[in-house]
Amino acid sequence: MNIITSIREKFAQYKLKKLRKIERKRAYIDWNKIDRILLLYAINNASEAQSSMIYSELYEILDNCFDEKTSVRLVVYVNKSPIEQKRFNITVFDAKSCNALTYKPNLDILGIAEEEDSDVVINLSPTLSYPLEYLAENSDAKLKISVLKTGKGAKYDMYFSSESESVKEVFESIKYYLQKIK
């Protein structure tokens, strides 16, 4: 890691800590009572084939949730220029949409977290992505879940670790445990 990246990460961590002072109503929610989900994922340094496979798994998750009458908004951060998505419930953005010093996304992207009024935020990213951490921190969701516990990003209510590399399998495991909450 070079010095510039290290400095940018320190600025991002500082800005995220400032956002944490905002209180929200927290609750563990049964899967059957969830109406809206904000799903976050970062695709970094993936080949075209890997990206395509990840997108297909994310699409399956969206379709399964819609079949269950659950509204899902997917936000994907990519390190390359974004591939245009034809679905109405997907937002893809890259570093050009973020502050160069703090990684903070522009207001259009941040507005997604506020406008969605989600019950749950699920960050499925296997790597730390500060732009997505800002989205998670800005959301007023009652439950925030991440698959990566670093302590450097947003504050989540639940961390979920899995050996699986399949995004869909990880999501299904999270869903299983949320169904057990009563």
CSV table of all heavy atoms in Angstrom, one decimal, residues 29-71:
chain,number,residue,atom,x,y,z
A,29,ILE,N,-34.5,-8.2,12.7
A,29,ILE,CA,-35.8,-8.3,12.0
A,29,ILE,C,-35.9,-9.7,11.4
A,29,ILE,O,-35.0,-10.2,10.8
A,29,ILE,CB,-35.9,-7.3,10.8
A,29,ILE,CG1,-35.7,-5.9,11.4
A,29,ILE,CG2,-37.2,-7.4,10.1
A,29,ILE,CD1,-35.6,-4.8,10.3
A,30,ASP,N,-37.1,-10.3,11.6
A,30,ASP,CA,-37.4,-11.6,11.0
A,30,ASP,C,-37.5,-11.4,9.5
A,30,ASP,O,-38.0,-10.4,9.0
A,30,ASP,CB,-38.7,-12.1,11.5
A,30,ASP,CG,-39.2,-13.4,10.9
A,30,ASP,OD1,-38.4,-14.1,10.2
A,30,ASP,OD2,-40.3,-13.8,11.1
A,31,TRP,N,-36.9,-12.3,8.7
A,31,TRP,CA,-36.9,-12.2,7.2
A,31,TRP,C,-38.3,-12.0,6.7
A,31,TRP,O,-38.5,-11.2,5.7
A,31,TRP,CB,-36.3,-13.5,6.6
A,31,TRP,CG,-36.3,-13.5,5.1
A,31,TRP,CD1,-37.2,-14.0,4.3
A,31,TRP,CD2,-35.4,-12.8,4.3
A,31,TRP,NE1,-36.9,-13.7,3.0
A,31,TRP,CE2,-35.8,-12.9,2.9
A,31,TRP,CE3,-34.3,-12.0,4.5
A,31,TRP,CZ2,-35.1,-12.4,1.9
A,31,TRP,CZ3,-33.6,-11.5,3.5
A,31,TRP,CH2,-34.0,-11.7,2.2
A,32,ASN,N,-39.3,-12.6,7.2
A,32,ASN,CA,-40.7,-12.5,6.7
A,32,ASN,C,-41.3,-11.1,6.9
A,32,ASN,O,-42.3,-10.7,6.3
A,32,ASN,CB,-41.6,-13.5,7.3
A,32,ASN,CG,-41.1,-14.9,7.0
A,32,ASN,OD1,-40.7,-15.2,5.8
A,32,ASN,ND2,-41.2,-15.8,7.9
A,33,LYS,N,-40.6,-10.3,7.8
A,33,LYS,CA,-41.1,-8.9,8.0
A,33,LYS,C,-40.3,-7.8,7.3
A,33,LYS,O,-40.6,-6.7,7.5
A,33,LYS,CB,-41.1,-8.7,9.5
A,33,LYS,CG,-42.0,-9.6,10.3
A,33,LYS,CD,-42.0,-9.3,11.8
A,33,LYS,CE,-43.0,-10.3,12.4
A,33,LYS,NZ,-42.9,-10.2,13.9
A,34,ILE,N,-39.4,-8.3,6.5
A,34,ILE,CA,-38.6,-7.3,5.7
A,34,ILE,C,-39.3,-7.0,4.4
A,34,ILE,O,-39.7,-7.8,3.7
A,34,ILE,CB,-37.2,-7.9,5.4
A,34,ILE,CG1,-36.4,-8.2,6.7
A,34,ILE,CG2,-36.4,-7.0,4.4
A,34,ILE,CD1,-35.1,-8.9,6.5
A,35,ASP,N,-39.5,-5.7,4.2
A,35,ASP,CA,-40.1,-5.2,3.0
A,35,ASP,C,-39.1,-4.7,2.0
A,35,ASP,O,-39.3,-4.8,0.8
A,35,ASP,CB,-41.1,-4.0,3.3
A,35,ASP,CG,-42.3,-4.5,4.1
A,35,ASP,OD1,-42.8,-5.6,3.8
A,35,ASP,OD2,-42.8,-3.8,4.9
A,36,ARG,N,-38.0,-4.0,2.4
A,36,ARG,CA,-37.1,-3.4,1.5
A,36,ARG,C,-35.6,-3.7,2.0
A,36,ARG,O,-35.3,-3.6,3.2
A,36,ARG,CB,-37.3,-1.9,1.5
A,36,ARG,CG,-38.7,-1.5,1.1
A,36,ARG,CD,-38.8,0.0,1.1
A,36,ARG,NE,-38.1,0.7,0.1
A,36,ARG,CZ,-38.5,0.9,-1.1
A,36,ARG,NH1,-39.6,0.6,-1.5
A,36,ARG,NH2,-37.7,1.6,-2.0
A,37,ILE,N,-34.8,-4.1,1.0
A,37,ILE,CA,-33.4,-4.4,1.3
A,37,ILE,C,-32.5,-3.5,0.4
A,37,ILE,O,-32.8,-3.3,-0.8
A,37,ILE,CB,-33.1,-5.9,0.9
A,37,ILE,CG1,-34.0,-6.8,1.8
A,37,ILE,CG2,-31.6,-6.2,1.1
A,37,ILE,CD1,-33.9,-8.3,1.4
A,38,LEU,N,-31.5,-3.0,1.0
A,38,LEU,CA,-30.4,-2.3,0.2
A,38,LEU,C,-29.2,-3.3,0.2
A,38,LEU,O,-28.7,-3.6,1.2
A,38,LEU,CB,-30.0,-1.0,0.9
A,38,LEU,CG,-28.9,-0.2,0.2
A,38,LEU,CD1,-29.3,0.2,-1.3
A,38,LEU,CD2,-28.6,1.1,0.9
A,39,LEU,N,-28.9,-3.8,-1.0
A,39,LEU,CA,-27.9,-4.8,-1.1
A,39,LEU,C,-26.6,-4.1,-1.7
A,39,LEU,O,-26.7,-3.4,-2.8
A,39,LEU,CB,-28.4,-5.9,-2.1
A,39,LEU,CG,-27.6,-7.2,-2.2
A,39,LEU,CD1,-27.5,-7.9,-0.8
A,39,LEU,CD2,-28.3,-8.1,-3.2
A,40,LEU,N,-25.5,-4.2,-1.1
A,40,LEU,CA,-24.2,-3.6,-1.6
A,40,LEU,C,-23.2,-4.6,-2.0
A,40,LEU,O,-23.1,-5.7,-1.3
A,40,LEU,CB,-23.7,-2.7,-0.4
A,40,LEU,CG,-24.6,-1.7,0.2
A,40,LEU,CD1,-23.9,-1.1,1.4
A,40,LEU,CD2,-25.0,-0.7,-0.8
A,41,TYR,N,-22.5,-4.3,-3.0
A,41,TYR,CA,-21.4,-5.2,-3.5
A,41,TYR,C,-20.3,-4.4,-4.2
A,41,TYR,O,-20.7,-3.5,-5.0
A,41,TYR,CB,-22.0,-6.3,-4.4
A,41,TYR,CG,-21.0,-7.5,-4.5
A,41,TYR,CD1,-20.9,-8.5,-3.6
A,41,TYR,CD2,-20.1,-7.5,-5.6
A,41,TYR,CE1,-20.0,-9.5,-3.7
A,41,TYR,CE2,-19.1,-8.5,-5.7
A,41,TYR,CZ,-19.1,-9.5,-4.7
A,41,TYR,OH,-18.2,-10.5,-4.8
A,42,ALA,N,-19.1,-4.8,-4.0
A,42,ALA,CA,-18.0,-4.2,-4.7
A,42,ALA,C,-17.3,-5.2,-5.6
A,42,ALA,O,-16.9,-6.3,-5.1
A,42,ALA,CB,-17.0,-3.6,-3.7
A,43,ILE,N,-17.0,-4.8,-6.8
A,43,ILE,CA,-16.3,-5.7,-7.7
A,43,ILE,C,-15.0,-5.0,-8.0
A,43,ILE,O,-14.9,-4.0,-8.7
A,43,ILE,CB,-17.1,-5.9,-9.0
A,43,ILE,CG1,-18.4,-6.6,-8.7
A,43,ILE,CG2,-16.2,-6.8,-10.0
A,43,ILE,CD1,-19.3,-6.8,-10.0
A,44,ASN,N,-13.9,-5.6,-7.4
A,44,ASN,CA,-12.6,-5.0,-7.6
A,44,ASN,C,-11.7,-5.9,-8.3
A,44,ASN,O,-11.6,-7.1,-7.9
A,44,ASN,CB,-12.0,-4.6,-6.2
A,44,ASN,CG,-12.8,-3.5,-5.6
A,44,ASN,OD1,-13.2,-2.6,-6.2
A,44,ASN,ND2,-13.0,-3.6,-4.3
A,45,ASN,N,-11.0,-5.5,-9.3
A,45,ASN,CA,-9.9,-6.2,-10.0
A,45,ASN,C,-10.4,-7.6,-10.5
A,45,ASN,O,-9.7,-8.6,-10.4
A,45,ASN,CB,-8.7,-6.4,-9.1
A,45,ASN,CG,-8.1,-5.1,-8.7
A,45,ASN,OD1,-8.1,-4.1,-9.5
A,45,ASN,ND2,-7.7,-5.0,-7.5
A,46,ALA,N,-11.6,-7.7,-10.9
A,46,ALA,CA,-12.2,-8.9,-11.4
A,46,ALA,C,-12.1,-8.9,-12.9
A,46,ALA,O,-12.3,-7.9,-13.6
A,46,ALA,CB,-13.7,-9.1,-11.0
A,47,SER,N,-11.9,-10.1,-13.5
A,47,SER,CA,-11.9,-10.3,-14.9
A,47,SER,C,-13.3,-10.1,-15.4
A,47,SER,O,-14.3,-10.2,-14.7
A,47,SER,CB,-11.3,-11.6,-15.3
A,47,SER,OG,-12.2,-12.7,-14.9
A,48,GLU,N,-13.4,-10.0,-16.7
A,48,GLU,CA,-14.8,-9.9,-17.4
A,48,GLU,C,-15.6,-11.2,-17.0
A,48,GLU,O,-16.8,-11.1,-16.7
A,48,GLU,CB,-14.6,-9.8,-18.9
A,48,GLU,CG,-15.9,-9.4,-19.6
A,48,GLU,CD,-16.3,-8.0,-19.4
A,48,GLU,OE1,-15.5,-7.1,-19.2
A,48,GLU,OE2,-17.5,-7.8,-19.4
A,49,ALA,N,-15.0,-12.4,-17.1
A,49,ALA,CA,-15.7,-13.6,-16.8
A,49,ALA,C,-16.2,-13.6,-15.3
A,49,ALA,O,-17.3,-14.0,-15.0
A,49,ALA,CB,-14.8,-14.8,-17.1
A,50,GLN,N,-15.3,-13.2,-14.4
A,50,GLN,CA,-15.6,-13.2,-13.0
A,50,GLN,C,-16.8,-12.2,-12.7
A,50,GLN,O,-17.7,-12.5,-12.0
A,50,GLN,CB,-14.4,-12.8,-12.1
A,50,GLN,CG,-13.4,-13.9,-12.0
A,50,GLN,CD,-12.1,-13.4,-11.4
A,50,GLN,OE1,-11.7,-12.2,-11.5
A,50,GLN,NE2,-11.5,-14.3,-10.6
A,51,SER,N,-16.6,-11.0,-13.3
A,51,SER,CA,-17.7,-10.0,-13.1
A,51,SER,C,-19.0,-10.5,-13.6
A,51,SER,O,-20.1,-10.3,-13.0
A,51,SER,CB,-17.3,-8.7,-13.9
A,51,SER,OG,-16.2,-8.1,-13.3
A,52,SER,N,-19.0,-11.2,-14.8
A,52,SER,CA,-20.2,-11.7,-15.3
A,52,SER,C,-20.9,-12.7,-14.4
A,52,SER,O,-22.1,-12.8,-14.2
A,52,SER,CB,-19.9,-12.3,-16.7
A,52,SER,OG,-21.1,-12.9,-17.3
A,53,MET,N,-20.0,-13.6,-13.8
A,53,MET,CA,-20.5,-14.6,-12.9
A,53,MET,C,-21.1,-13.9,-11.6
A,53,MET,O,-22.2,-14.3,-11.2
A,53,MET,CB,-19.4,-15.6,-12.5
A,53,MET,CG,-19.9,-16.7,-11.7
A,53,MET,SD,-18.5,-17.8,-11.2
A,53,MET,CE,-17.7,-16.8,-10.0
A,54,ILE,N,-20.5,-12.9,-11.1
A,54,ILE,CA,-21.0,-12.2,-9.9
A,54,ILE,C,-22.3,-11.5,-10.2
A,54,ILE,O,-23.2,-11.6,-9.5
A,54,ILE,CB,-19.9,-11.2,-9.4
A,54,ILE,CG1,-18.7,-11.9,-8.9
A,54,ILE,CG2,-20.5,-10.3,-8.4
A,54,ILE,CD1,-17.5,-11.0,-8.6
A,55,TYR,N,-22.4,-10.9,-11.4
A,55,TYR,CA,-23.6,-10.2,-11.8
A,55,TYR,C,-24.8,-11.2,-11.9
A,55,TYR,O,-25.9,-11.0,-11.5
A,55,TYR,CB,-23.5,-9.4,-13.1
A,55,TYR,CG,-22.9,-8.0,-12.9
A,55,TYR,CD1,-21.8,-7.6,-13.5
A,55,TYR,CD2,-23.6,-7.1,-12.1
A,55,TYR,CE1,-21.3,-6.3,-13.4
A,55,TYR,CE2,-23.1,-5.8,-12.0
A,55,TYR,CZ,-21.9,-5.4,-12.6
A,55,TYR,OH,-21.5,-4.2,-12.5
A,56,SER,N,-24.5,-12.4,-12.5
A,56,SER,CA,-25.6,-13.4,-12.6
A,56,SER,C,-26.0,-13.8,-11.3
A,56,SER,O,-27.2,-14.1,-11.1
A,56,SER,CB,-25.1,-14.5,-13.5
A,56,SER,OG,-24.1,-15.3,-12.9
A,57,GLU,N,-25.1,-14.0,-10.3
A,57,GLU,CA,-25.6,-14.4,-9.0
A,57,GLU,C,-26.4,-13.3,-8.3
A,57,GLU,O,-27.3,-13.6,-7.6
A,57,GLU,CB,-24.3,-14.8,-8.1
A,57,GLU,CG,-23.7,-16.1,-8.5
A,57,GLU,CD,-22.6,-16.5,-7.5
A,57,GLU,OE1,-22.6,-16.1,-6.4
A,57,GLU,OE2,-21.8,-17.3,-8.0
A,58,LEU,N,-25.9,-12.1,-8.5
A,58,LEU,CA,-26.7,-10.9,-7.9
A,58,LEU,C,-28.1,-10.8,-8.5
A,58,LEU,O,-29.0,-10.6,-7.8
A,58,LEU,CB,-25.9,-9.6,-8.1
A,58,LEU,CG,-24.6,-9.5,-7.3
A,58,LEU,CD1,-23.8,-8.3,-7.7
A,58,LEU,CD2,-24.9,-9.4,-5.8
A,59,TYR,N,-28.2,-11.1,-9.8
A,59,TYR,CA,-29.5,-11.1,-10.5
A,59,TYR,C,-30.4,-12.2,-9.9
A,59,TYR,O,-31.6,-11.9,-9.8
A,59,TYR,CB,-29.3,-11.2,-12.0
A,59,TYR,CG,-28.7,-10.1,-12.7
A,59,TYR,CD1,-28.1,-10.3,-14.0
A,59,TYR,CD2,-28.7,-8.8,-12.2
A,59,TYR,CE1,-27.5,-9.2,-14.7
A,59,TYR,CE2,-28.1,-7.8,-12.9
A,59,TYR,CZ,-27.5,-8.0,-14.1
A,59,TYR,OH,-26.9,-6.9,-14.8
A,60,GLU,N,-29.8,-13.3,-9.7
A,60,GLU,CA,-30.6,-14.4,-9.1
A,60,GLU,C,-31.1,-14.0,-7.7
A,60,GLU,O,-32.3,-14.3,-7.4
A,60,GLU,CB,-29.8,-15.7,-9.0
A,60,GLU,CG,-29.6,-16.4,-10.3
A,60,GLU,CD,-28.8,-17.7,-10.0
A,60,GLU,OE1,-29.2,-18.5,-9.2
A,60,GLU,OE2,-27.8,-17.9,-10.7
A,61,ILE,N,-30.3,-13.4,-6.9
A,61,ILE,CA,-30.7,-12.9,-5.6
A,61,ILE,C,-31.9,-11.9,-5.8
A,61,ILE,O,-32.9,-12.0,-5.1
A,61,ILE,CB,-29.5,-12.2,-4.8
A,61,ILE,CG1,-28.5,-13.3,-4.5
A,61,ILE,CG2,-30.0,-11.5,-3.6
A,61,ILE,CD1,-27.2,-12.7,-3.9
A,62,LEU,N,-31.7,-11.0,-6.7
A,62,LEU,CA,-32.8,-10.0,-6.9
A,62,LEU,C,-34.1,-10.7,-7.3
A,62,LEU,O,-35.2,-10.4,-6.8
A,62,LEU,CB,-32.4,-9.0,-8.0
A,62,LEU,CG,-31.3,-8.0,-7.7
A,62,LEU,CD1,-30.9,-7.2,-8.9
A,62,LEU,CD2,-31.6,-7.2,-6.5
A,63,ASP,N,-34.0,-11.6,-8.3
A,63,ASP,CA,-35.2,-12.3,-8.8
A,63,ASP,C,-35.9,-13.1,-7.6
A,63,ASP,O,-37.1,-13.1,-7.5
A,63,ASP,CB,-34.8,-13.2,-9.9
A,63,ASP,CG,-34.4,-12.4,-11.2
A,63,ASP,OD1,-34.8,-11.2,-11.3
A,63,ASP,OD2,-33.7,-13.0,-12.0
A,64,ASN,N,-35.1,-13.8,-6.8
A,64,ASN,CA,-35.6,-14.5,-5.7
A,64,ASN,C,-36.4,-13.6,-4.7
A,64,ASN,O,-37.4,-14.0,-4.2
A,64,ASN,CB,-34.6,-15.4,-5.0
A,64,ASN,CG,-34.1,-16.5,-5.9
A,64,ASN,OD1,-34.7,-16.9,-6.8
A,64,ASN,ND2,-32.9,-17.0,-5.5
A,65,CYS,N,-35.8,-12.5,-4.4
A,65,CYS,CA,-36.4,-11.6,-3.5
A,65,CYS,C,-37.7,-11.0,-4.1
A,65,CYS,O,-38.7,-10.9,-3.3
A,65,CYS,CB,-35.4,-10.4,-3.1
A,65,CYS,SG,-34.1,-10.9,-2.1
A,66,PHE,N,-37.7,-10.7,-5.3
A,66,PHE,CA,-38.9,-10.2,-6.0
A,66,PHE,C,-40.0,-11.2,-6.0
A,66,PHE,O,-41.2,-10.9,-5.8
A,66,PHE,CB,-38.6,-9.7,-7.4
A,66,PHE,CG,-38.0,-8.3,-7.4
A,66,PHE,CD1,-36.9,-8.1,-8.3
A,66,PHE,CD2,-38.4,-7.3,-6.6
A,66,PHE,CE1,-36.3,-6.9,-8.3
A,66,PHE,CE2,-37.7,-6.1,-6.6
A,66,PHE,CZ,-36.7,-5.9,-7.5
A,67,ASP,N,-39.6,-12.5,-6.2
A,67,ASP,CA,-40.6,-13.6,-6.1
A,67,ASP,C,-41.2,-13.7,-4.7
A,67,ASP,O,-42.4,-14.1,-4.6
A,67,ASP,CB,-39.9,-14.9,-6.5
A,67,ASP,CG,-39.6,-15.0,-7.9
A,67,ASP,OD1,-40.1,-14.2,-8.7
A,67,ASP,OD2,-38.8,-15.9,-8.3
A,68,GLU,N,-40.5,-13.3,-3.7
A,68,GLU,CA,-41.0,-13.3,-2.3
A,68,GLU,C,-41.7,-12.0,-2.0
A,68,GLU,O,-42.0,-11.7,-0.8
A,68,GLU,CB,-39.9,-13.6,-1.4
A,68,GLU,CG,-39.3,-15.0,-1.5
A,68,GLU,CD,-38.1,-15.2,-0.6
A,68,GLU,OE1,-37.9,-14.3,0.3
A,68,GLU,OE2,-37.5,-16.2,-0.7
A,69,LYS,N,-41.8,-11.1,-2.9
A,69,LYS,CA,-42.5,-9.8,-2.7
A,69,LYS,C,-41.7,-8.9,-1.8
A,69,LYS,O,-42.2,-8.1,-1.1
A,69,LYS,CB,-43.9,-9.9,-2.2
A,69,LYS,CG,-44.8,-10.9,-2.9
A,69,LYS,CD,-45.2,-10.3,-4.2
A,69,LYS,CE,-46.3,-11.1,-4.9
A,69,LYS,NZ,-45.8,-12.0,-5.9
A,70,THR,N,-40.3,-9.0,-1.9
A,70,THR,CA,-39.4,-8.1,-1.1
A,70,THR,C,-38.7,-7.2,-2.1
A,70,THR,O,-38.2,-7.7,-3.1
A,70,THR,CB,-38.4,-9.0,-0.4
A,70,THR,OG1,-39.0,-9.9,0.5
A,70,THR,CG2,-37.5,-8.1,0.4
A,71,SER,N,-38.8,-5.9,-1.9
A,71,SER,CA,-38.2,-5.0,-2.8
A,71,SER,C,-36.7,-4.9,-2.4
A,71,SER,O,-36.3,-4.8,-1.3
A,71,SER,CB,-38.8,-3.6,-2.5
A,71,SER,OG,-38.2,-2.6,-3.3
